[in-house]
């Protein structure tokens, strides 16, 4: 079992880790020949399942992975440990799988330039997963979307949701293929709607031949406002 690589975009790596850490503290990393998958398995039907894939070429300039898992490597780690290691990386770093005192670690080594350059090494403890522990970790198959639309800037959305939280417990989102998105809160005492127009949606080559609703027929999931709005 072997893993070593050269990180070329530590900022992107860090943003991915910070985003996923808002969902769970522990994460499974799946290193394949072409992608790094960040996985949060679902432990019950009510829990969130997350599967995020980043192309190897976005994160690494050199990349070598060997294992008995068809050349892929599976490991579980605490995202907070990974975040601290990546924060020490200015831009690039060498990362490899090592053992210390019989325990596996992902070791990050970076060079900080200055009058007296120094080398910083940080070891992230990991738990290597056997094939029997990964059989249930399968990328979820999602149904074809009824609507695809690009959201407005998330800072704008967050500000609106922060204000709507004081008016009710649930938020309804309505979107259609005409580029319209509505955020709505309704209670027995008040009803408030915020409408965004002229939003883009993915081109047909992104949509994989999906059949969408009539262009102005909305899709409307209901979301809870009880949970705190997450900040990146």
């Amino acid at each position: 079992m072997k893993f070593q690589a050269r990180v070329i975009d530590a900022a992107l790596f860090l943003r991915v880790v910070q985003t996923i850490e808002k969902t769970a503290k522990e994460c499974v990393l799946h290193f394949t020949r072409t992608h790094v998958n960040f996985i949060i398995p679902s432990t019950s039907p009510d829990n969130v399942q997350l599967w995020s894939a980043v192309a190897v070429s976005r994160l690494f300039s050199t990349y070598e992975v060997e294992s008995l898992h068809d050349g892929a490597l599976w490991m579980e780690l605490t995202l907070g440990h990974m975040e601290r290691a990546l924060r020490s990386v200015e831009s690039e770093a060498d990362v490899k799988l090592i053992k210390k005192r019989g325990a596996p670690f992902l070791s990050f080594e970076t060079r900080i330039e200055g009058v007296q350059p120094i080398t910083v090494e940080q070891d992230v403890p990991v738990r290597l997963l056997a094939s029997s522990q990964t059989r249930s970790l399968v990328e979820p198959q999602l149904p074809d979307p009824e609507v695809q639309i690009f959201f407005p800037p998330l800072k704008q959305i967050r500000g609106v949701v922060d204000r709507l939280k004081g008016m009710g417990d649930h938020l309804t989102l309505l979107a259609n293929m005409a580029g319209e998105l509505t955020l709505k809160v309704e209670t027995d005492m008040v009803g408030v709607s915020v409408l965004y127009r002229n939003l883009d949606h993915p081109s047909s080559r992104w949509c994989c031949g999906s059949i969408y609703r009539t262009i102005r027929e909305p899709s409307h999931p209901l979301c809870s406002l009880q949970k705190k709005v997450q900040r990146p």
Side-chain angles (χ1 to χ4, degrees):
M1 191 172 295
K2 181 179 180 181
F3 174 75
Q4 60 183 20
R6 176 72 175 175
V7 178
I8 56 170
D9 196 339
L12 173 60
F13 208 156
L14 178 61
R15 287 199 302 273
V16 173
V17 168
Q18 289 174 328
T19 300
I20 296 174
E21 191 182 12
K22 292 180 172 65
T23 302
K25 301 303 180 185
E26 306 290 325
C27 180
V28 173
L29 288 188
H30 179 211
F31 294 95
T32 73
R33 293 184 178 91
T34 58
H35 288 82
V36 181
N37 298 313
F38 298 79
I39 305 165
I40 297 176
S42 176
T43 56
S44 75
D46 295 329
N47 285 358
V48 172
Q49 181 181 11
L50 183 148
W51 189 292
S52 175
V54 182
V56 164
S57 59
R58 292 293 309 274
L59 297 177
F60 307 108
S61 58
T62 62
Y63 180 84
E64 183 179 359
V65 58
E66 298 176 5
S67 80
L68 299 178
H69 288 263
D70 296 325
L73 184 63
W74 296 80
M75 63 181 68
E76 187 176 38
L77 52 77
T78 300
L79 289 167
H81 296 161
M82 176 76 87
E83 180 185 6
R84 284 191 289 273
L86 289 169
R87 282 185 179 278
S88 68
V89 179
E90 291 186 346
S91 59
E92 299 186 2
D94 293 311
V95 57
K96 58 185 176 181
L97 179 64
I98 66 171
K99 274 194 173 184
K100 286 187 174 180
R101 298 178 295 279
F105 293 85
L106 270 185
S107 179
F108 289 80
E109 184 177 297
T110 185
R111 182 178 174 85
I112 300 178
E113 301 296 338
V115 177
Q116 293 183 324
I118 60 173
T119 298
V120 177
E121 181 178 329
Q122 295 210 51
D123 297 332
V124 177
V126 301
R127 184 170 70 92
L128 300 178
L129 302 180
S131 57
S132 59
Q133 298 172 289
T134 63
R135 293 192 185 106
S136 63
L137 300 178
V138 180
E139 184 173 2
Q141 298 299 311
L142 301 178
D144 287 341
E146 296 178 344
V147 170
Q148 286 196 28
I149 194 169
F150 289 122
F151 261 44
L154 291 181
K155 287 186 178 180
Q156 292 183 16
I157 292 287
R158 187 184 304 120
V160 170
V161 173
D162 276 336
R163 289 174 173 81
L164 294 177
K165 282 172 60 179
M167 301 178 186
D169 294 335
H170 294 89
L171 173 72
T172 301
L173 285 77
L174 299 98
N176 59 38
M177 292 301 291
E180 297 172 341
L181 171 69
T182 301
L183 309 182
K184 181 169 65 173
V185 170
E186 290 183 320
T187 69
D188 294 337
M189 300 294 294
V190 65
V192 179
S193 297
V194 178
L195 173 64
Y196 294 89
R197 293 191 177 95
N198 302 319
L199 300 176
D200 291 330
H201 57 79
S203 61
S204 58
R205 66 184 178 86
W206 286 34
C207 299
C208 306
S210 299
I211 299 176
Y212 294 105
R213 293 177 172 220
T214 303
I215 193 166
R216 290 189 179 275
E217 183 182 353
S219 178
H220 50 278
L222 184 68
C223 306
S224 173
L225 285 172
Q226 294 289 350
K227 294 184 178 180
K228 181 180 179 183
V229 177
Q230 299 286 0
R231 287 171 166 74

